[in-house]
C-alpha cells in the first residue's frame, strides 16, 4: 500500500504539472482528492490492513494529501494569475488610440480682445459696442473729416449707398459715446471694422479698439502714462514707448505710437524690420472741433483718444507673420494657441 500511495502521489504530481487551465486542474483534483477519488479509494482499502498498520498508513495517506493540496494550491495560483493576465491583455482598451478629439477654445483674436478689454476695464474704462453699419456722420463728419477731406483716402471705405457705410474705424464710437455721456468719461470700444484693403498685412475685415478719456486738465502726459502701462502689460516690463508726430483729423496734436521690439529688445530684427520699434497705434489730444460737435465745451474739458488694430496686437504677441492666418480658420493654425 505504501508503494501505491507513493505512485499515486507521483502520478497526481505529474498531472498537476501538466494541467493547462484551471478547469483541467479541477478535473485532476476531483480525480485524486474528490469524494470518490483515488485517495478515497485508497482509504477504503484501509479496513483490510492489520490494525497496527492502519495508523501508519493513515498518516502516509494524510501526508500525501497534504503534499498534493500544496501542489494544487501552488498550481492553482499560477494558472489563475496567468489566465487573469491573458484576459486583461485581451480585454485591454487603449484609450489613447482612436481619433484625437479636438477641444474647443477661444480664437486667438477673441482671446487677445478679452485680455485687452480686461486691462482697460481694470483701469476704470467703460466698454461700448457700436454699430458695424455706420452713417457717414459718425464715421467721418463728426470726427472732423468732411466729405471733401483728403484724409478720407487713408481709409478705403465700403460705401453702402445713401448715408451708410461699413465703419472703417471704431473711432465712430467716440462720437456716439460723447453724445450720450457727459465728462468725466473713460471708454473703450472694441469691434470689427472694414476697409477695401487686401495684402499680407491688411484684411478687408479686421478689428480695432478705440479708447477715449475726457476730463478737466487731461494732457498728453495722461495718454503717455496709460499707453506706457498698456505696452508694459502686453509686450513685457522693459518695453519702451515712443511718440512720433503724425496727423489725424480728430486729434490735435496727433501722434503715432511705437513700442520697442520685444523680440530683439531694440537691436533690430525681422519682426521690427530692423528698426527696433514696432508701430502699434494712432492717438492724440481730441480735436476741439470734435468735442464741440459732441456738445462738450473744449475750454472746460480736454481729452485724449487712441485706436489700434487688435489683429496687429495679436500678431505681435504670437509672432504671426500674416494677418490672413487669423481668418482662414485652418485648424492646424488655430490649435497652436
Ligand atoms: N482711427 C484711426 C485709424 O483707424 C486710429 C486712431 C488714431 C484712433 C488716432 C484715434 C486717434 O482715436 O486719436 O487709423
Amino acid at each position: 500500500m505504501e508503494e501505491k500511495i507513493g505512485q499515486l502521489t507521483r502520478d497526481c504530481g505529474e498531472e498537476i504539472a501538466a494541467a493547462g487551465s484551471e478547469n483541467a486542474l479541477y478535473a485532476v483534483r476531483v480525480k485524486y482528492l474528490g469524494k470518490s477519488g483515488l485517495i478515497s479509494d485508497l482509504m477504503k482499502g484501509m479496513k483490510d490492513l492489520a490494525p497496527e498498520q492502519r495508523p501508519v498508513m493513515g498518516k502516509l495517506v494524510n501526508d500525501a494529501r497534504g503534499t498534493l493540496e500544496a501542489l494544487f494550491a501552488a498550481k492553482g495560483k499560477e494558472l489563475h494569475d496567468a489566465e487573469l493576465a491573458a484576459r486583461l491583455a485581451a480585454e485591454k482598451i487603449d484609450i489613447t488610440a482612436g481619433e484625437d478629439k479636438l477641444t474647443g477654445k477661444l480664437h486667438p483674436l477673441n482671446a487677445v480682445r478679452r485680455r485687452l478689454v480686461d486691462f482697460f476695464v481694470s483701469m476704470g474704462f467703460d466698454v461700448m459696442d457700436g454699430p458695424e453699419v455706420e452713417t457717414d456722420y459718425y464715421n467721418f463728419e463728426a470726427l472732423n473729416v468732411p466729405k471733401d477731406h483728403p484724409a478720407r483716402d487713408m481709409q478705403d471705405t465700403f460705401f453702402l449707398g445713401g448715408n451708410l457705410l461699413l465703419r472703417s474705424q471704431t473711432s465712430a464710437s467716440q462720437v456716439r459715446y460723447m453724445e450720450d455721456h457727459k465728462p468725466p468719461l473713460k471708454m473703450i470700444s472694441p469691434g470689427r471694422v472694414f476697409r477695401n484693403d487686401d495684402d499680407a498685412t491688411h484684411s478687408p475685415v479686421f478689428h480695432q479698439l478705440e479708447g477715449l478719456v475726457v476730463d478737466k486738465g487731461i494732457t498728453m502726459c495722461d495718454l503717455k502714462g496709460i499707453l506706457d502701462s498698456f505696452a508694459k502689460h502686453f509686450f513685457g516690463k522693459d518695453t519702451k514707448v515712443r511718440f512720433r508726430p503724425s496727423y489725424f483729423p480728430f486729434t490735435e496734436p496727433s501722434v503715432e505710437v511705437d513700442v520697442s521690439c520685444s523680440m530683439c529688445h531694440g537691436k533690430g530684427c525681422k519682426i521690427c524690420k530692423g528698426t527696433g520699434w514696432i508701430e502699434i497705434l494712432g492717438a492724440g489730444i481730441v480735436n476741439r472741433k470734435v468735442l464741440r460737435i459732441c456738445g462738450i465745451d473744449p475750454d472746460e474739458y480736454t481729452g485724449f483718444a487712441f485706436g489700434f488694430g487688435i489683429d496687429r496686437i495679436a500678431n505681435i504677441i504670437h509672432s504671426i507673420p500674416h494677418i490672413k492666418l487669423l481668418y482662414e480658420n485652418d485648424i492646424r493654425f488655430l490649435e497652436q494657441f
Side-chain angles (χ1 to χ4, degrees):
M1 184 157 179
E2 198 178 333
E3 205 178 301
K4 242 180 161 178
I5 295 171
Q7 187 60 45
L8 216 87
T9 312
R10 281 192 298 280
D11 289 351
C12 184
E14 277 168 25
E15 284 182 48
I16 288 173
S21 67
E22 285 186 277
N23 280 344
L25 186 68
Y26 184 69
V28 177
R29 182 184 186 89
V30 172
K31 179 176 167 188
Y32 286 90
L33 298 182
K35 252 193 191 154
S36 37
L38 294 175
I39 299 273
S40 291
D41 284 354
L42 215 62
M43 296 296 270
K44 279 178 205 149
M46 206 73 97
K47 61 181 184 319
D48 304 328
L49 294 175
E52 68 276 13
Q53 283 216 303
R54 284 181 198 161
V56 181
M57 286 306 141
K59 183 171 184 318
L60 280 178
V61 172
N62 274 340
D63 286 352
R65 196 195 287 274
T67 308
L68 293 178
E69 285 287 9
L71 288 178
F72 274 115
K75 183 70 177 183
K77 181 169 177 351
E78 182 191 317
L79 287 173
H80 180 77
D81 289 352
E83 279 177 31
L84 187 68
R87 220 172 67 222
L88 286 178
E91 290 174 2
K92 188 168 140 191
I93 298 169
D94 180 359
I95 54 164
T96 64
E99 224 176 296
D100 272 353
K101 288 274 173 288
L102 297 173
T103 43
K105 48 186 145 178
L106 284 179
H107 188 281
L109 258 180
N110 285 332
V112 169
R113 194 197 61 209
R114 284 194 188 189
R115 280 183 58 200
L116 290 164
V117 170
D118 283 351
F119 173 81
F120 286 106
V121 166
S122 79
M123 291 196 152
F125 282 72
D126 193 9
V127 183
M128 179 196 169
D129 201 14
E132 291 176 354
V133 173
E134 247 318 349
T135 62
D136 191 289
Y137 176 77
Y138 287 109
N139 197 78
F140 289 128
E141 298 240 1
L143 288 165
N144 192 32
V145 190
K147 292 234 160 36
D148 55 356
H149 200 290
R152 288 202 175 201
D153 286 349
M154 298 197 310
Q155 302 184 1
D156 271 326
T157 310
F158 291 108
F159 290 96
L160 299 177
N163 240 350
L164 295 177
L165 45 80
L166 292 179
R167 69 173 173 193
S168 61
Q169 51 186 352
T170 44
S171 303
S173 302
Q174 282 191 26
V175 180
R176 288 183 177 275
Y177 195 86
M178 283 191 277
E179 279 181 351
D180 294 345
H181 298 80
K182 293 288 140 231
L185 54 87
K186 274 164 106 175
M187 78 100 194
I188 54 164
S189 184
R192 224 159 23 155
V193 296
F194 309 84
R195 288 186 200 179
N196 192 5
D197 244 351
D198 203 358
D199 58 36
T201 49
H202 296 94
S203 156
V205 181
F206 62 107
H207 299 78
Q208 283 188 337
L209 187 144
E210 183 78 11
L212 174 75
V213 172
V214 180
D215 200 350
K216 286 182 178 154
I218 293 289
T219 70
M220 209 70 154
C221 292
D222 301 301
L223 171 64
K224 193 147 194 193
I226 293 265
L227 294 182
D228 211 52
S229 312
F230 163 76
K232 286 187 167 52
H233 186 79
F234 284 92
F235 306 116
K237 279 201 182 65
D238 23 77
T239 306
K240 290 187 191 59
V241 173
R242 175 172 90 170
F243 279 17
R244 278 182 292 110
S246 185
Y247 172 76
F248 297 101
F250 28 91
T251 42
E252 180 59 37
S254 302
V255 288
E256 244 157 322
V257 180
D258 301 337
V259 290
S260 56
C261 179
S262 52
M263 288 292 151
C264 63
H265 301 283
K267 286 192 207 78
C269 68
K270 242 167 103 181
I271 303 289
C272 59
K273 300 191 190 103
T275 63
W277 295 93
I278 302 175
E279 184 192 320
I280 54 161
L281 56 84
I285 294 296
V286 181
N287 194 310
R288 291 171 61 86
K289 283 191 198 166
V290 175
L291 289 179
R292 204 176 289 122
I293 288 171
C294 298
I296 296 174
D297 180 358
D299 292 326
E300 194 180 355
Y301 291 103
T302 50
F304 68 75
F306 59 88
F308 56 79
I310 298 177
D311 314 55
R312 185 153 170 74
I313 303 292
N315 286 357
I316 296 169
I317 290 176
H318 295 302
S319 302
I320 299 168
H322 200 303
I323 190 170
K324 290 291 173 51
L325 288 165
L326 292 170
Y327 296 99
E328 283 166 348
N329 283 334
D330 186 330
I331 290 291
R332 291 167 304 177
F333 168 74
L334 293 176
E335 66 190 1
Q336 295 174 50
F337 301 96

